[in-house]
Amino acid sequence: MNIAIIGAGAIGTAIARQLSRAGIAASIANSRGPESLAALTAELGPQIKAVTVEEAAKADVIFIAVQWSRVADAVRELPAWNGRIVIDANNAIEAPSFKAVDLRGRASSAVVAELLPGARVVKAFNHLVAALLAADPQAEGGRRVLFYSGDDADAKHTVGQLIEKLGFAGIDLGTLDGGGRLAQFPGGPLPVLNLVRYA
């Protein structure tokens, strides 16, 4: 399974750190090109390599972690998704003000899914602040919780397994429109909660 991250900001970098820590190979891309990520990949080690956005989009599992206002531009010119799994790690806020984007009552992942025809979208890795997402998932005698949701059972299973491999405790919240709303920020009751599972 090939894994890639589109977006090298705080959340994308936190995800890359966890993958590297777990010894899972992945690629990372941003709009400025692989050369701009040389210092980051040198820090993270050989498991994480820098690629173009176009190369990242060919992976089996792709994290999208970019500022909300840039999501559409980040994916506009990419090839057909053809059933690949896309993990939506975004939140519908304007940076740097953290003002909520008016989605006219829609779940944020439903908006993202429309931009990715043919992708199997799973909402995950979005509800923790970057510092916690990058920290050791073994916390307070248990495992830090990551929520995930989606409409494709197989895609959710794959993401759930990845969450467990990274050392987190995954909790399936259901569908994008149902569970996705619970974990989206702003609006959902679960974002920013630092929960630990002991069982």
Side-chain angles (χ1 to χ4, degrees), residues 35-56:
E35 305 80 15
S36 67
L37 298 171
L40 176 63
T41 54
E43 174 193 343
L44 294 177
Q47 298 288 354
I48 308 299
K49 66 176 182 177
V51 297
T52 66
V53 172
E54 291 76 15
E55 289 173 308

Side-chain angles (χ1 to χ4, degrees), residues 3-22 24 26-34 36-45 47-50 63-67 87 89-90 124-126 128-137 166 168:
I3 299 173
I5 305 161
I6 296 176
I11 296 298
T13 296
I15 294 166
R17 289 189 193 287
Q18 291 293 359
L19 291 166
S20 177
R21 178 182 288 126
I24 299 173
S27 56
I28 188 167
N30 66 7
S31 61
R32 297 183 300 279
S36 67
L37 298 171
L40 176 63
T41 54
E43 174 193 343
L44 294 177
Q47 298 288 354
I48 308 299
K49 66 176 182 177
F63 289 86
I64 295 184
V66 300
Q67 291 183 12
I87 300 174
N90 306 287
F125 292 82
N126 69 294
L128 291 176
V129 297
L132 281 177
L133 186 59
D136 189 344
L166 292 176
F168 292 93

Side-chain angles (χ1 to χ4, degrees), residues 97-174:
S97 68
F98 279 81
K99 179 181 177 182
V101 175
D102 183 5
L103 301 179
R104 300 181 181 179
R106 303 180 67 202
S108 63
S109 283
V111 176
V112 171
E114 276 193 1
L115 299 171
L116 309 169
R120 295 183 291 160
V121 177
V122 177
K123 183 75 168 180
F125 292 82
N126 69 294
H127 80 278
L128 291 176
V129 297
L132 281 177
L133 186 59
D136 189 344
Q138 306 295 317
E140 306 295 332
R143 293 182 296 148
R144 187 167 284 116
V145 167
L146 283 184
F147 300 109
Y148 61 101
S149 56
D151 298 332
D152 185 287
D154 289 338
K156 280 201 300 182
H157 179 69
T158 297
V159 174
Q161 286 185 316
L162 178 58
I163 286 170
E164 295 290 328
K165 285 180 182 177
L166 292 176
F168 292 93
I171 295 181
D172 182 350
L173 295 179

